[in-house]
Amino acid sequence: MSVDITLYGIVDPQIAKGRSMADMARAAVEGGATLIQLRAKTETTREMVREARAIRSALHGTNVPLLINDRVDVALASGADGVHLGADDMKLVDARRLLGPRAIIGATLKHESELPELASAKIDYACIGGVFATAHKDNAGAALGVDGLKALRQAAARVLGALPVGAIAGITAANAGSVIAAGADGVAVIGALFAGDDVREAARDLRLAIETALSERGAVSA
């Protein structure tokens, strides 16, 4: 399935701080986000399903998909469009079997050694990370930096072909251009998009930075 990862917003209760995540997701999309993920590692399954359904309702009519971080069961129960999985989560082939051919399945890519598994699975995109230091992921590990991102992106292109590959961690409107120039097809953002009061304006700033960098690189967003 074709998926637009140009501006991939990740909403989390820890950054929402009591605000409506459904409203935040809608505002991000109105500002230019092309994909939304719910990440809620500390919530119960019931809470996650409830939040996912609320976000899905808020995104109705936008044609922007909602993905669930880690939890295939929550994606199934809430009617979300798919999942994003890491190396310690359910195997990609098992997720595809459970969710079906129309679901969007994305994968985290941290090391070149992970590429064969990603190539053998029927995924729709990958996200390289973390690129920069971030306060929004406990197990982020050492940052790759722009050079590390570029090298891994080139390796991914050799193995994964034209599969969309984004970048995640510590990305802001100020450094998004460098990430796109290094080969990323889009960026996944948490803090720079959702930490402030005006999510819509933050999304506009990020989308402009991304589109400008894509244009300079001679690429176009999906």
Side-chain angles (χ1 to χ4, degrees):
M1 181 175 179
S2 176
V3 58
D4 186 350
I5 63 169
T6 304
L7 177 52
Y8 186 176
I10 301 175
V11 64
D12 187 311
Q14 293 182 338
I15 202 165
K17 296 179 180 177
R19 293 175 291 169
S20 164
M21 288 192 288
D23 290 347
M24 293 166 68
R26 179 74 189 206
V29 169
E30 290 173 351
T34 57
L35 188 63
I36 296 293
Q37 178 191 131
L38 170 62
R39 189 182 76 178
K41 294 182 181 292
T42 61
E43 289 198 339
T44 67
T45 299
R46 289 190 179 190
E47 287 171 338
M48 281 192 73
V49 170
R50 183 172 63 250
E51 293 285 8
R53 286 174 175 165
I55 294 171
R56 185 167 174 261
S57 178
L59 297 182
H60 181 72
T62 66
N63 292 320
V64 171
L66 169 65
L67 307 187
I68 308 298
N69 181 267
D70 297 352
R71 300 290 299 276
V72 173
D73 59 334
V74 173
L76 283 167
S78 66
D81 299 286
V83 293
H84 181 91
L85 301 174
D88 296 328
D89 299 323
M90 181 181 291
K91 287 186 176 181
L92 297 165
V93 292
D94 292 331
R96 176 60 72 196
R97 178 174 54 83
L98 290 168
L99 293 171
R102 296 179 60 83
I104 298 170
I105 297 180
T108 299
L109 175 58
K110 294 184 177 182
H111 307 287
E112 190 170 344
S113 61
E114 297 167 340
L115 284 169
E117 180 184 353
L118 269 61
S120 65
K122 295 178 180 178
I123 62 172
D124 299 287
Y125 74 89
C127 260
I128 293 173
V131 179
F132 304 114
T134 176
H136 301 293
K137 190 169 176 59
D138 294 336
N139 60 344
L144 290 169
V146 173
D147 290 341
L149 166 65
K150 185 174 182 179
L152 190 49
R153 179 65 184 95
Q154 290 173 345
R158 292 192 294 269
V159 177
L160 304 178
L163 188 81
V165 178
I168 188 170
I171 298 170
T172 67
N175 62 27
S178 66
V179 171
I180 298 298
D185 298 309
V187 301
V189 185
I190 305 172
L193 183 53
F194 293 116
D197 294 330
D198 195 335
V199 174
R200 190 177 292 103
E201 185 63 25
R204 290 193 185 111
D205 291 344
L206 282 157
R207 185 66 185 265
L208 177 60
I210 295 163
E211 295 286 0
T212 299
L214 285 169
S215 178
E216 290 173 352
R217 199 181 79 191
V220 292
S221 60

